[in-house]
Amino acid sequence: MVQSECRLLRGLLVCMCVAPQLCGPLNTVRESLNVTLRRRFMKMNFPINYTIQVHYEEVFRLRNISRLNTSNEEEPLQERDLQDLWLWVSQQGIKRILKVLPERHPTRRKYLSNLQNLFNNFEGSYNQLNPKDEERILPERIQNIWDRLTEQDYEGWKSVTPKSILDNSYRTMLCLFKECFSKEDDNYDCK
Ligand SMILES: *[C@@H]1O[C@H](CO)[C@@H](O)[C@H](O)[C@H]1NC(C)=O
Ligand SMILES: *[C@@H]1O[C@H](CO)[C@@H](O)[C@H](O)[C@H]1NC(C)=O
Ligand SMILES: *[C@@H]1O[C@H](CO)[C@@H](O)[C@H](O)[C@H]1NC(C)=O
Ligand SMILES: *[C@@H]1O[C@H](CO)[C@@H](O)[C@H](O)[C@H]1NC(C)=O
């Protein structure tokens, strides 16, 4: 009896649909990531060609998604695996940019601090509505990425522009949470 309930529960946990209640907080994130704001705060406010250092795995683009999604049919991904990565990488990117910005920099005060809060709000709802299945063993290629993302003695940093971090976050969001966005939004094919 108990066992069958567990199985049922586990079945629910792997449901691949995005809970509709997530779309509110996610749309708020999207509004703050719109192209006008990204350009103003992430490009115009920085010196030309300014870059910061990130782990290679913190570059998460549409191409990564299609590569990961198709690269091994024997260990299929759940949508959730990629959404988790997206969330972590986006938050990490914001932290990295904040770390190099002076306390009074307008991008910090008028944009990124708020954006960070919006991501944290989203994360709260996401974890609540979509609790992790702690027993699930991640596909190896996903686990490898997590290992690299959290590696202490990381070597081989990559230079990227601050804007590219949010550009990638925006595009991959539209691909990974399709249910939350209307057809009129910029439609990024996941391919
Ligand atoms: C982006 O958001 C800002 C502030 O809400 C708004 O003024 C601007 O028109 C928006 N840009 C686009 C392209 O939607
Ligand atoms: C910025 O980078 C571009 C492309 O790498 C280069 O052509 C340009 O000269 C650089 N601008 C400055 C001001 O360094
Ligand atoms: C995305 O692909 C680039 C190479 O194009 C790679 O360096 C990076 O680690 C990949 N990111 C993830 C999260 O797998
Ligand atoms: C991953 O591949 C599956 C099966 O081909 C497809 O249904 C799904 O939409 C893909 N997911 C993404 C995020 O591209």
PDB file of all heavy atoms in Angstrom, residues 74-96:
ATOM      1  N   GLU A  74      20.247   6.855 -24.531  1.00  0.00           N
ATOM      2  CA  GLU A  74      20.056   5.866 -23.473  1.00  0.00           C
ATOM      3  C   GLU A  74      19.870   6.497 -22.107  1.00  0.00           C
ATOM      4  O   GLU A  74      19.396   5.862 -21.182  1.00  0.00           O
ATOM      5  CB  GLU A  74      21.241   4.890 -23.439  1.00  0.00           C
ATOM      6  CG  GLU A  74      21.050   3.796 -24.469  1.00  0.00           C
ATOM      7  CD  GLU A  74      22.335   3.061 -24.768  1.00  0.00           C
ATOM      8  OE1 GLU A  74      23.207   3.013 -23.867  1.00  0.00           O
ATOM      9  OE2 GLU A  74      22.464   2.558 -25.885  1.00  0.00           O
ATOM     10  N   GLU A  75      20.288   7.726 -21.966  1.00  0.00           N
ATOM     11  CA  GLU A  75      20.077   8.427 -20.700  1.00  0.00           C
ATOM     12  C   GLU A  75      19.309   9.712 -20.983  1.00  0.00           C
ATOM     13  O   GLU A  75      19.865  10.796 -20.948  1.00  0.00           O
ATOM     14  CB  GLU A  75      21.423   8.814 -20.075  1.00  0.00           C
ATOM     15  CG  GLU A  75      22.079   7.739 -19.264  1.00  0.00           C
ATOM     16  CD  GLU A  75      23.226   8.325 -18.439  1.00  0.00           C
ATOM     17  OE1 GLU A  75      24.136   8.928 -19.050  1.00  0.00           O
ATOM     18  OE2 GLU A  75      23.204   8.195 -17.219  1.00  0.00           O
ATOM     19  N   PRO A  76      18.024   9.578 -21.276  1.00  0.00           N
ATOM     20  CA  PRO A  76      17.281  10.769 -21.684  1.00  0.00           C
ATOM     21  C   PRO A  76      17.199  11.798 -20.552  1.00  0.00           C
ATOM     22  O   PRO A  76      17.186  11.437 -19.378  1.00  0.00           O
ATOM     23  CB  PRO A  76      15.898  10.227 -22.032  1.00  0.00           C
ATOM     24  CG  PRO A  76      15.798   8.902 -21.391  1.00  0.00           C
ATOM     25  CD  PRO A  76      17.183   8.384 -21.180  1.00  0.00           C
ATOM     26  N   LEU A  77      17.165  13.052 -20.933  1.00  0.00           N
ATOM     27  CA  LEU A  77      17.071  14.117 -19.941  1.00  0.00           C
ATOM     28  C   LEU A  77      15.628  14.375 -19.589  1.00  0.00           C
ATOM     29  O   LEU A  77      14.732  14.140 -20.387  1.00  0.00           O
ATOM     30  CB  LEU A  77      17.635  15.416 -20.529  1.00  0.00           C
ATOM     31  CG  LEU A  77      19.083  15.460 -20.906  1.00  0.00           C
ATOM     32  CD1 LEU A  77      19.456  16.896 -21.228  1.00  0.00           C
ATOM     33  CD2 LEU A  77      19.937  14.932 -19.782  1.00  0.00           C
ATOM     34  N   GLN A  78      15.432  14.900 -18.406  1.00  0.00           N
ATOM     35  CA  GLN A  78      14.151  15.516 -18.094  1.00  0.00           C
ATOM     36  C   GLN A  78      14.291  16.997 -18.346  1.00  0.00           C
ATOM     37  O   GLN A  78      15.381  17.553 -18.184  1.00  0.00           O
ATOM     38  CB  GLN A  78      13.785  15.265 -16.634  1.00  0.00           C
ATOM     39  CG  GLN A  78      13.493  13.815 -16.344  1.00  0.00           C
ATOM     40  CD  GLN A  78      13.146  13.581 -14.877  1.00  0.00           C
ATOM     41  OE1 GLN A  78      13.037  14.512 -14.097  1.00  0.00           O
ATOM     42  NE2 GLN A  78      12.984  12.327 -14.529  1.00  0.00           N
ATOM     43  N   GLU A  79      13.192  17.627 -18.679  1.00  0.00           N
ATOM     44  CA  GLU A  79      13.206  19.070 -18.885  1.00  0.00           C
ATOM     45  C   GLU A  79      13.808  19.763 -17.658  1.00  0.00           C
ATOM     46  O   GLU A  79      14.558  20.723 -17.751  1.00  0.00           O
ATOM     47  CB  GLU A  79      11.767  19.533 -19.094  1.00  0.00           C
ATOM     48  CG  GLU A  79      11.637  20.773 -19.917  1.00  0.00           C
ATOM     49  CD  GLU A  79      10.195  21.006 -20.350  1.00  0.00           C
ATOM     50  OE1 GLU A  79       9.283  20.683 -19.567  1.00  0.00           O
ATOM     51  OE2 GLU A  79      10.005  21.508 -21.468  1.00  0.00           O
ATOM     52  N   ARG A  80      13.445  19.220 -16.539  1.00  0.00           N
ATOM     53  CA  ARG A  80      13.913  19.728 -15.249  1.00  0.00           C
ATOM     54  C   ARG A  80      15.442  19.821 -15.140  1.00  0.00           C
ATOM     55  O   ARG A  80      15.980  20.739 -14.531  1.00  0.00           O
ATOM     56  CB  ARG A  80      13.350  18.757 -14.202  1.00  0.00           C
ATOM     57  CG  ARG A  80      13.975  18.791 -12.875  1.00  0.00           C
ATOM     58  CD  ARG A  80      13.108  19.579 -11.987  1.00  0.00           C
ATOM     59  NE  ARG A  80      13.886  20.154 -10.932  1.00  0.00           N
ATOM     60  CZ  ARG A  80      13.431  20.346  -9.729  1.00  0.00           C
ATOM     61  NH1 ARG A  80      12.215  19.980  -9.424  1.00  0.00           N
ATOM     62  NH2 ARG A  80      14.183  20.920  -8.826  1.00  0.00           N
ATOM     63  N   ASP A  81      16.147  18.835 -15.710  1.00  0.00           N
ATOM     64  CA  ASP A  81      17.617  18.843 -15.623  1.00  0.00           C
ATOM     65  C   ASP A  81      18.169  20.127 -16.226  1.00  0.00           C
ATOM     66  O   ASP A  81      19.099  20.740 -15.699  1.00  0.00           O
ATOM     67  CB  ASP A  81      18.214  17.655 -16.390  1.00  0.00           C
ATOM     68  CG  ASP A  81      17.789  16.316 -15.809  1.00  0.00           C
ATOM     69  OD1 ASP A  81      17.507  16.269 -14.596  1.00  0.00           O
ATOM     70  OD2 ASP A  81      17.738  15.339 -16.575  1.00  0.00           O
ATOM     71  N   LEU A  82      17.589  20.514 -17.357  1.00  0.00           N
ATOM     72  CA  LEU A  82      18.082  21.707 -18.050  1.00  0.00           C
ATOM     73  C   LEU A  82      17.588  22.975 -17.365  1.00  0.00           C
ATOM     74  O   LEU A  82      18.293  23.977 -17.313  1.00  0.00           O
ATOM     75  CB  LEU A  82      17.627  21.673 -19.514  1.00  0.00           C
ATOM     76  CG  LEU A  82      18.205  20.513 -20.325  1.00  0.00           C
ATOM     77  CD1 LEU A  82      17.521  20.396 -21.685  1.00  0.00           C
ATOM     78  CD2 LEU A  82      19.700  20.671 -20.511  1.00  0.00           C
ATOM     79  N   GLN A  83      16.384  22.914 -16.829  1.00  0.00           N
ATOM     80  CA  GLN A  83      15.859  24.081 -16.113  1.00  0.00           C
ATOM     81  C   GLN A  83      16.678  24.361 -14.859  1.00  0.00           C
ATOM     82  O   GLN A  83      16.971  25.520 -14.536  1.00  0.00           O
ATOM     83  CB  GLN A  83      14.383  23.859 -15.759  1.00  0.00           C
ATOM     84  CG  GLN A  83      13.487  23.881 -17.002  1.00  0.00           C
ATOM     85  CD  GLN A  83      12.078  23.385 -16.730  1.00  0.00           C
ATOM     86  OE1 GLN A  83      11.805  22.759 -15.702  1.00  0.00           O
ATOM     87  NE2 GLN A  83      11.170  23.643 -17.647  1.00  0.00           N
ATOM     88  N   ASP A  84      17.059  23.307 -14.161  1.00  0.00           N
ATOM     89  CA  ASP A  84      17.907  23.485 -12.968  1.00  0.00           C
ATOM     90  C   ASP A  84      19.229  24.156 -13.343  1.00  0.00           C
ATOM     91  O   ASP A  84      19.698  25.053 -12.651  1.00  0.00           O
ATOM     92  CB  ASP A  84      18.226  22.129 -12.318  1.00  0.00           C
ATOM     93  CG  ASP A  84      17.044  21.548 -11.542  1.00  0.00           C
ATOM     94  OD1 ASP A  84      16.066  22.278 -11.309  1.00  0.00           O
ATOM     95  OD2 ASP A  84      17.121  20.364 -11.182  1.00  0.00           O
ATOM     96  N   LEU A  85      19.810  23.678 -14.433  1.00  0.00           N
ATOM     97  CA  LEU A  85      21.071  24.273 -14.876  1.00  0.00           C
ATOM     98  C   LEU A  85      20.881  25.739 -15.238  1.00  0.00           C
ATOM     99  O   LEU A  85      21.678  26.600 -14.867  1.00  0.00           O
ATOM    100  CB  LEU A  85      21.611  23.543 -16.116  1.00  0.00           C
ATOM    101  CG  LEU A  85      22.420  22.276 -15.925  1.00  0.00           C
ATOM    102  CD1 LEU A  85      22.828  21.736 -17.290  1.00  0.00           C
ATOM    103  CD2 LEU A  85      23.650  22.527 -15.069  1.00  0.00           C
ATOM    104  N   TRP A  86      19.819  25.994 -15.984  1.00  0.00           N
ATOM    105  CA  TRP A  86      19.536  27.384 -16.383  1.00  0.00           C
ATOM    106  C   TRP A  86      19.456  28.297 -15.174  1.00  0.00           C
ATOM    107  O   TRP A  86      20.064  29.374 -15.145  1.00  0.00           O
ATOM    108  CB  TRP A  86      18.214  27.446 -17.169  1.00  0.00           C
ATOM    109  CG  TRP A  86      17.734  28.845 -17.376  1.00  0.00           C
ATOM    110  CD1 TRP A  86      18.177  29.717 -18.329  1.00  0.00           C
ATOM    111  CD2 TRP A  86      16.777  29.562 -16.590  1.00  0.00           C
ATOM    112  NE1 TRP A  86      17.538  30.938 -18.178  1.00  0.00           N
ATOM    113  CE2 TRP A  86      16.675  30.865 -17.112  1.00  0.00           C
ATOM    114  CE3 TRP A  86      15.992  29.221 -15.475  1.00  0.00           C
ATOM    115  CZ2 TRP A  86      15.823  31.835 -16.584  1.00  0.00           C
ATOM    116  CZ3 TRP A  86      15.147  30.186 -14.944  1.00  0.00           C
ATOM    117  CH2 TRP A  86      15.071  31.473 -15.495  1.00  0.00           C
ATOM    118  N   LEU A  87      18.722  27.844 -14.160  1.00  0.00           N
ATOM    119  CA  LEU A  87      18.516  28.692 -12.989  1.00  0.00           C
ATOM    120  C   LEU A  87      19.839  28.953 -12.267  1.00  0.00           C
ATOM    121  O   LEU A  87      20.173  30.088 -11.925  1.00  0.00           O
ATOM    122  CB  LEU A  87      17.504  28.022 -12.047  1.00  0.00           C
ATOM    123  CG  LEU A  87      17.130  28.801 -10.797  1.00  0.00           C
ATOM    124  CD1 LEU A  87      16.576  30.176 -11.142  1.00  0.00           C
ATOM    125  CD2 LEU A  87      16.101  28.023  -9.974  1.00  0.00           C
ATOM    126  N   TRP A  88      20.596  27.900 -12.092  1.00  0.00           N
ATOM    127  CA  TRP A  88      21.853  28.047 -11.346  1.00  0.00           C
ATOM    128  C   TRP A  88      22.828  28.945 -12.102  1.00  0.00           C
ATOM    129  O   TRP A  88      23.424  29.853 -11.528  1.00  0.00           O
ATOM    130  CB  TRP A  88      22.470  26.667 -11.108  1.00  0.00           C
ATOM    131  CG  TRP A  88      23.469  26.658  -9.993  1.00  0.00           C
ATOM    132  CD1 TRP A  88      23.227  26.391  -8.671  1.00  0.00           C
ATOM    133  CD2 TRP A  88      24.880  26.930 -10.091  1.00  0.00           C
ATOM    134  NE1 TRP A  88      24.386  26.488  -7.964  1.00  0.00           N
ATOM    135  CE2 TRP A  88      25.415  26.816  -8.796  1.00  0.00           C
ATOM    136  CE3 TRP A  88      25.720  27.261 -11.155  1.00  0.00           C
ATOM    137  CZ2 TRP A  88      26.768  27.014  -8.536  1.00  0.00           C
ATOM    138  CZ3 TRP A  88      27.074  27.467 -10.887  1.00  0.00           C
ATOM    139  CH2 TRP A  88      27.580  27.337  -9.592  1.00  0.00           C
ATOM    140  N   VAL A  89      22.970  28.693 -13.383  1.00  0.00           N
ATOM    141  CA  VAL A  89      23.915  29.450 -14.207  1.00  0.00           C
ATOM    142  C   VAL A  89      23.507  30.924 -14.284  1.00  0.00           C
ATOM    143  O   VAL A  89      24.354  31.816 -14.216  1.00  0.00           O
ATOM    144  CB  VAL A  89      24.014  28.808 -15.611  1.00  0.00           C
ATOM    145  CG1 VAL A  89      24.625  29.749 -16.620  1.00  0.00           C
ATOM    146  CG2 VAL A  89      24.802  27.508 -15.551  1.00  0.00           C
ATOM    147  N   SER A  90      22.219  31.181 -14.386  1.00  0.00           N
ATOM    148  CA  SER A  90      21.769  32.577 -14.462  1.00  0.00           C
ATOM    149  C   SER A  90      22.074  33.303 -13.153  1.00  0.00           C
ATOM    150  O   SER A  90      22.566  34.437 -13.153  1.00  0.00           O
ATOM    151  CB  SER A  90      20.259  32.637 -14.719  1.00  0.00           C
ATOM    152  OG  SER A  90      19.939  31.996 -15.924  1.00  0.00           O
ATOM    153  N   GLN A  91      21.782  32.668 -12.051  1.00  0.00           N
ATOM    154  CA  GLN A  91      22.034  33.307 -10.754  1.00  0.00           C
ATOM    155  C   GLN A  91      23.523  33.494 -10.516  1.00  0.00           C
ATOM    156  O   GLN A  91      23.961  34.521  -9.991  1.00  0.00           O
ATOM    157  CB  GLN A  91      21.408  32.478  -9.630  1.00  0.00           C
ATOM    158  CG  GLN A  91      19.887  32.547  -9.649  1.00  0.00           C
ATOM    159  CD  GLN A  91      19.256  31.694  -8.564  1.00  0.00           C
ATOM    160  OE1 GLN A  91      19.536  30.502  -8.472  1.00  0.00           O
ATOM    161  NE2 GLN A  91      18.408  32.282  -7.750  1.00  0.00           N
ATOM    162  N   GLN A  92      24.294  32.506 -10.927  1.00  0.00           N
ATOM    163  CA  GLN A  92      25.736  32.599 -10.769  1.00  0.00           C
ATOM    164  C   GLN A  92      26.302  33.744 -11.614  1.00  0.00           C
ATOM    165  O   GLN A  92      27.177  34.479 -11.187  1.00  0.00           O
ATOM    166  CB  GLN A  92      26.372  31.262 -11.167  1.00  0.00           C
ATOM    167  CG  GLN A  92      27.874  31.216 -11.100  1.00  0.00           C
ATOM    168  CD  GLN A  92      28.386  31.241  -9.662  1.00  0.00           C
ATOM    169  OE1 GLN A  92      27.610  31.255  -8.707  1.00  0.00           O
ATOM    170  NE2 GLN A  92      29.697  31.272  -9.508  1.00  0.00           N
ATOM    171  N   GLY A  93      25.775  33.886 -12.826  1.00  0.00           N
ATOM    172  CA  GLY A  93      26.220  34.963 -13.711  1.00  0.00           C
ATOM    173  C   GLY A  93      25.959  36.321 -13.076  1.00  0.00           C
ATOM    174  O   GLY A  93      26.820  37.212 -13.099  1.00  0.00           O
ATOM    175  N   ILE A  94      24.784  36.496 -12.507  1.00  0.00           N
ATOM    176  CA  ILE A  94      24.452  37.770 -11.860  1.00  0.00           C
ATOM    177  C   ILE A  94      25.414  38.020 -10.697  1.00  0.00           C
ATOM    178  O   ILE A  94      25.931  39.132 -10.527  1.00  0.00           O
ATOM    179  CB  ILE A  94      22.978  37.766 -11.391  1.00  0.00           C
ATOM    180  CG1 ILE A  94      22.061  37.759 -12.608  1.00  0.00           C
ATOM    181  CG2 ILE A  94      22.683  38.963 -10.495  1.00  0.00           C
ATOM    182  CD1 ILE A  94      20.595  37.557 -12.282  1.00  0.00           C
ATOM    183  N   LYS A  95      25.679  36.989  -9.925  1.00  0.00           N
ATOM    184  CA  LYS A  95      26.626  37.150  -8.807  1.00  0.00           C
ATOM    185  C   LYS A  95      27.996  37.574  -9.297  1.00  0.00           C
ATOM    186  O   LYS A  95      28.654  38.417  -8.695  1.00  0.00           O
ATOM    187  CB  LYS A  95      26.777  35.827  -8.039  1.00  0.00           C
ATOM    188  CG  LYS A  95      25.658  35.553  -7.074  1.00  0.00           C
ATOM    189  CD  LYS A  95      25.993  34.326  -6.223  1.00  0.00           C
ATOM    190  CE  LYS A  95      24.703  33.633  -5.822  1.00  0.00           C
ATOM    191  NZ  LYS A  95      24.867  32.187  -5.600  1.00  0.00           N
ATOM    192  N   ARG A  96      28.430  36.961 -10.376  1.00  0.00           N
ATOM    193  CA  ARG A  96      29.767  37.296 -10.884  1.00  0.00           C
ATOM    194  C   ARG A  96      29.832  38.751 -11.337  1.00  0.00           C
ATOM    195  O   ARG A  96      30.848  39.417 -11.152  1.00  0.00           O
ATOM    196  CB  ARG A  96      30.139  36.387 -12.054  1.00  0.00           C
ATOM    197  CG  ARG A  96      30.340  34.942 -11.656  1.00  0.00           C
ATOM    198  CD  ARG A  96      31.559  34.349 -12.346  1.00  0.00           C
ATOM    199  NE  ARG A  96      31.655  32.922 -12.081  1.00  0.00           N
ATOM    200  CZ  ARG A  96      32.375  32.395 -11.086  1.00  0.00           C
ATOM    201  NH1 ARG A  96      33.049  33.174 -10.267  1.00  0.00           N
ATOM    202  NH2 ARG A  96      32.411  31.088 -10.914  1.00  0.00           N
TER     203      ARG A  96
END
